[in-house]
Structure formats: C-alpha cells, structure tokens
Amino acid sequence: MKVRLAKTEDLDKIMRIIGETVKEMNENDNFQWDETYPNREVFINDIKEGTLYAVVNDEDEVLGIGVANFESFEEYDNLEWKSGKDDYVIHRLAVDNAYRSSGAAAFLIENMEKEIIKKGKCFMKTDTNSKNIKAQRFFEKMGYKFVGEIKVPRLKDTFFCYEKRLCN
C-alpha cells in the first residue's frame, strides 16, 4: 500500500466507496452522510485543493480516502482543544468494504499525519457522529483523544470530537 493525493480519474471509485459507506452508515441509524453529501463536487473541490488523500494498492487502485484541511464546524469553538484553529481536521474518511480490517484506514491516517508534520503542524482533529461506534473506536485506537461533544444545528445527531498531538 501507499498513500498519494487523489486524482480526478479516481472519482468513480471514490463515489462507489462513498455509496457503500453511506449504505452501511444508514443501516446503523447514522445519517451523517446521505445521497447528497458527500457528493462528486465536494471531492472534485478536495482534489483541486490538494487535500484528498488516497490509500492505493500496488496496482494504484483506490482502497480508501480521507481529507485533511482546515474546515471545522463553528461549534468546535465551544470545546477546549489543545490544538489551535489553524490545525488540520480529518474529514470524509472511507474505505472500500473489501479492504475494511486490512489496515488500510490506519495506514492512510498514519501517512496523512506524516504529511501534516511535514507542513509544520503538530495536531490533527476530527469528529464523528455519536452513533458511529466503529469510527470512535478507530480514532481512539489511532491515539486520538476525546475532546468533547458538539451539536450542529442542521444535523440530527451530536458529534464526538477528537484530537491528536503528532509531534513533541
């Protein structure tokens, strides 16, 4: 496996992964994502901005994706972060069903963290739906610490927020 920035030609595979992920999330009563978000235009923008990372196999097939940018909910301001407003936030993390439990997500996150350190930042943040137990366990396993819970007005469920110090 290796990690690289996603390309426009990856979009069909990315959207298939997202479709699978939305279906599974919805089956688990998690409606954070749906048929309208995240959509192709969101990923096109991520690719243009150079913030969409892809974990790929030796044949360069996309196994999973994740975004690292500076976007966060306004409600983040209500929590006591060790990190600052200008630290990266992980978004839109998804792995092909066939590669779940393969280590692809952990490999992706570890490599994204290395890139963030190269960019001079020492913290990563993220959030996940309070009903997404798998994501909560994953981030905790990856060394992310629970910071607090937020309620985003336009979304039904609350979100758990995490951060990780990447350097000393």
Side-chain angles (χ1 to χ4, degrees):
M1 285 186 285
K2 70 176 184 176
V3 173
R4 62 167 171 78
L5 288 174
K7 304 179 270 192
T8 305
E9 49 268 30
D10 298 327
L11 281 169
D12 288 342
K13 175 66 187 242
I14 290 168
M15 294 315 298
R16 189 177 67 70
I17 292 170
I18 295 302
E20 292 172 352
T21 304
V22 167
K23 182 179 180 207
E24 181 182 342
M25 290 169 101
N26 291 179
E27 288 170 356
N28 290 302
D29 198 33
N30 173 358
F31 300 98
Q32 178 178 353
W33 293 357
D34 57 27
E35 63 282 343
T36 62
Y37 177 86
N39 58 46
R40 194 174 193 90
E41 290 72 33
V42 168
F43 290 112
I44 289 170
N45 189 57
D46 292 336
I47 290 168
K48 284 180 186 171
E49 291 182 353
T51 59
L52 180 60
Y53 294 85
V55 59
V56 298
N57 61 17
D58 292 339
E59 291 78 41
D60 205 41
E61 176 190 10
V62 175
L63 310 179
I65 51 106
V67 171
N69 64 25
F70 297 108
E71 296 174 18
S72 64
F73 292 121
E74 182 179 303
E75 289 74 12
Y76 269 38
D77 295 344
N78 300 328
L79 298 177
E80 292 188 33
W81 301 92
K82 290 186 171 85
S83 51
K85 284 186 180 235
D86 63 341
D87 286 300
Y88 283 87
V89 183
I90 300 168
H91 300 285
R92 299 183 275 291
L93 181 65
V95 173
D96 186 315
N97 283 346
Y99 295 95
R100 301 248 173 103
S101 303
S102 71
F107 186 78
L108 175 62
I109 292 296
E110 288 166 357
N111 281 275
M112 289 170 66
E113 290 171 352
K114 289 175 186 173
E115 287 300 311
I116 298 316
I117 292 168
K118 285 181 192 174
K119 294 179 181 189
K121 297 295 182 180
C122 285
F123 279 95
M124 287 282 282
K125 302 178 192 180
T126 194
D127 59 69
T128 189
N129 189 298
S130 58
K131 292 184 178 175
N132 193 339
I133 305 301
K134 286 181 183 179
Q136 293 164 34
R137 286 188 186 136
F138 172 74
F139 284 118
E140 290 167 2
K141 179 181 156 197
M142 295 300 298
Y144 285 74
K145 304 294 183 208
F146 179 78
V147 175
E149 188 172 354
I150 60 172
K151 175 70 178 119
V152 180
R154 69 181 187 281
L155 298 170
K156 177 184 168 195
D157 300 315
T158 59
F159 286 74
F160 292 170
C161 297
Y162 298 85
E163 70 181 344
K164 180 179 179 181
R165 177 181 289 278
L166 304 177
C167 44
N168 299 328

